[in-house]
Amino acid sequence: MDHQLIERAAKDILQSKKTIAFTGAGISVESGIPDFRSAQGLWQKYDPEEYAHIHAFYANPDKVWLMLKDMFSLIISARPNPAHIGLAELERMGLLSSVITQNVDGLHQAAGSSKVIEFHGSHRTLTCLKCSNRVDGTTLTLDDLPARCPRCSSLLKPDVVFFGEPIPWDAQIASFEESQSCTAVLVIGTSAVVYPAASIPFTAKERGATVIEINTEPTPLTGQISDYLICGPAGKIIPAIVDEVKKMRGSEKS
Ligand code: APR
């Protein structure tokens, strides 16, 4: 972990008028939820065209529910890791305005972040595509899956955004407002290859924001729009940045 870059990030956050975080599956890997495109990612096991496209769900919901049940089993047992907790602490310190996440695992909220924009929806509710009934998913156990509509018995679809589906309009508007008004964005644990989500750091950059990448490897943003990449696991880097911020703040006050 490059301590000079940790110090630089802490300074950038303290000097920034408005900082946001943009997170992907990598921030939850240390909570036991695999990401999608790394060597052990979910898409190595399930072809996203066959399991994560809305047309696949319409054609063969039972088959898609095999992947969904696998994903739910990981999410149900996952707890926030030090990266999620560190972002919630920055919010409490008044240094983080919001988290825009591509993740559907709810771990940012579980860690205490209060302004979380779920760009790809959430696993917490499910909807019946036949009668539009919406069901609370937080009370479901693995034995209840695949979940059926209590009203018409059709298979329910989790309110997560499948490929081929639109992004929830409220999430799009809120994300655009945050990314075009921030002065720094922490881009954490995302391969930045899925649009329109991946346009968020570009919107921030166009408005002059500092783009701070935290990832275990370079991405298409690195060397392009990122000011710098702090290479390593988010579960170590975020707490190190928070500790450095506290140290710098402490020395400011003394
Ligand atoms: N700390 C930081 N970064 C990590 C860690 C970690 N511990 N582990 C993995 N990463 C990085 C990987 O190097 C990769 O760049 O996290 C990134 C994960 O990328 P993806 O698996 O592509 O996940 P994500 O960017 O969130 O995917 C975007 O694609 O499949 C869709 O809807 C799905 O929301 C998802 C979207």
Side-chain angles (χ1 to χ4, degrees), residues 86-254:
L87 292 182
E89 195 160 0
L90 284 177
E91 179 192 308
R92 276 194 297 278
M93 295 164 76
L95 295 171
L96 191 72
S97 165
S98 63
V99 176
I100 303 170
T101 187
Q102 300 170 88
N103 302 338
V104 299
D105 55 32
L107 291 179
H108 286 298
Q109 295 93 323
S113 289
S114 63
K115 185 163 179 186
V116 179
I117 301 165
E118 292 177 309
F119 204 78
H120 289 156
S122 149
H123 79 286
R124 286 188 305 279
T125 54
L126 303 94
T127 299
C128 177
L129 301 183
K130 196 164 174 196
C131 72
S132 307
N133 186 21
R134 173 159 285 184
V135 167
D136 174 5
T138 55
T139 56
L140 296 176
T141 64
L142 282 182
D143 295 340
D144 301 320
L145 304 182
R148 289 197 171 275
C149 174
R151 197 188 289 168
C152 74
S153 304
S154 304
L155 273 179
L156 292 169
K157 177 188 159 298
D159 289 339
V160 300
V161 177
F162 279 58
F163 289 110
E165 281 195 294
I167 303 301
W169 193 234
D170 54 346
Q172 281 204 62
I173 293 177
S175 302
F176 183 71
E177 281 167 0
E178 286 295 283
S179 55
Q180 62 146 15
S181 59
C182 71
T183 50
V185 54
L186 304 172
V187 181
I188 309 166
T190 183
S191 59
V193 293
V194 173
Y195 284 80
S199 61
I200 288 166
F202 287 87
T203 304
K205 187 73 180 181
E206 278 157 21
R207 297 293 178 122
T210 304
V211 180
I212 304 165
E213 254 195 303
I214 294 158
N215 201 309
T216 44
E217 60 187 30
T219 75
L221 305 183
T222 313
Q224 300 302 321
I225 66 157
S226 299
D227 289 75
Y228 50 97
L229 163 68
I230 309 180
C231 205
K236 297 262 182 314
I237 290 171
I238 300 290
I241 292 172
V242 174
D243 289 346
E244 193 60 34
V245 163
K246 287 178 181 171
K247 226 162 71 188
M248 290 178 180
R249 256 195 169 176
S251 56
E252 273 170 13
K253 284 186 183 135
S254 55

Side-chain angles (χ1 to χ4, degrees), residues 3-4 14 65 200 213 226:
H3 197 73
Q4 275 186 321
L14 284 168
W65 261 107
I200 288 166
E213 254 195 303
S226 299

